[in-house]
Amino acid sequence: MTQAPVNVTVTGAAGQIGYALLFRIASGQLLGQDTPVKLRLLEIPQAVKAAEGTALELEDGAFPLLSGIDIFDDAKQAFAGVNVALLVGARPRTKGMERGDLLEANGGIFKPQGEAINAGAADDVKVLVVGNPANTNALIAQSHAPDVPADRFTAMTRLDHNRAVAQLAKKLGVAVADVKKLTIWGNHSATQYPDIFHAEVGGKNAAEAVGDQSWIADEFIPRVAKRGAEIIEARGASSAASAANAAIDHVYDWVNGTAEGDWVSMGIPSDGSYGVPEGLISSFPVTTKDGKYEIVQGLDIDAFSRERIDASVRELSEERDAVKQLGLV
Ligand SMILES: NC(=O)C1=CN([C@@H]2O[C@H](COP(=O)(O)OP(=O)(O)OC[C@H]3O[C@@H](n4cnc5c(N)ncnc54)[C@H](O)[C@@H]3O)[C@@H](O)[C@H]2O)C=CC1
Ligand SMILES: O=C([O-])CC(=O)C(=O)O
């Protein structure tokens, strides 16, 4: 071990994603094998006992990198001194719902959590919002944390990214590691746009390697965009282990950097790039280095892609208007 423990706060610790996530954080997969972690778990009072049960199991894991676990039902305490905040705790959708339908139920959770982050987080805090609708919940939290740099608030579209990589690799009969530079644009919703026109497979353009526009438009894009619903239909519950895995990937890459010649997708506050209105938390292709991310610039966006990016961004603007109406931003 080479450094002091990093404080990692996980909300919704007793939920299904929490259960899949916490053991991986404790084992060093979130930040790296040199970095000890202190877990700070936030739950609602009724679920604190279940979180305590998970903490007992974490103890039983005897993880060398886990230097402590504290459990809270108060956001201000849970986020005091936090370096990495994983905002998972929120209601999941069930069959027949869109993620945006959760806005009213879940939006209210993120205002006090933003305030608590503002009040007590460490200067280097990094925030990942997983709870749906993730992009707009991140916007809510960010808008209540004026003292924290806005770019520290991110939303998870890495699960969509990973799904798209896996579907493309399967189609082309290649390893997932051969797929590079894939992008999810827009919202973590059914309007998201998984873009393979700049992606590469074994060094070749992925869309050309597929060579079938109708597969891209009619099979690949809807399959990825609606994968969450497919999982709910099959499992009777929304994605959990794959979501936890994506949260690990998102933070690991943000902290440790992306590989040369590749990029990842993150929901981040727009700086106006690619015509996405400034301030909306939208998914972009990003590279990361030294704990900071940068939007990949200069990609050609053709009419097919433009239309899809615009549709998803329009939905984000509508969600922002809706939470303004609710007085949440
Ligand atoms: N961005 C993404 O790619 C994905 C997002 N999700 C979302 O993640 C969220 C969590 O999903 P699950 O773990 O499956 O749900 P779950 O229902 O199993 O767990 C949620 C937990 O959050 C807790 N909670 C509720 N309000 C809270 C608050 N104010 N503070 C702290 N904890 C609170 C609940 O007590 C519960 O233990 C859902 O909104 C789901 O839709 C799920 C999969 C992927
Ligand atoms: O679909 C859902 O409601 C859960 C989720 O966000 C996903 O699996 O992508």
Side-chain angles (χ1 to χ4, degrees), residues 93-103 189-191 225-226 229 315:
R93 66 173 167 156
T94 44
K95 214 168 137 181
M97 291 173 84
E98 288 300 332
R99 298 182 189 95
D101 297 336
L102 293 168
L103 207 48
S189 76
T191 68
K226 295 182 188 161
E315 183 184 47

Side-chain angles (χ1 to χ4, degrees), residues 92-93 99 132 159-160 163 188 227-229 231-232 238-239:
R93 66 173 167 156
R99 298 182 189 95
N132 278 319
L159 179 53
D160 310 295
R163 286 167 170 162
H188 173 62
R227 184 67 159 187
I231 302 289
I232 291 170
S238 70
S239 322

Side-chain angles (χ1 to χ4, degrees), residues 219-232:
E219 291 184 47
F220 171 74
I221 295 173
R223 186 83 195 267
V224 172
K226 295 182 188 161
R227 184 67 159 187
E230 186 182 343
I231 302 289
I232 291 170

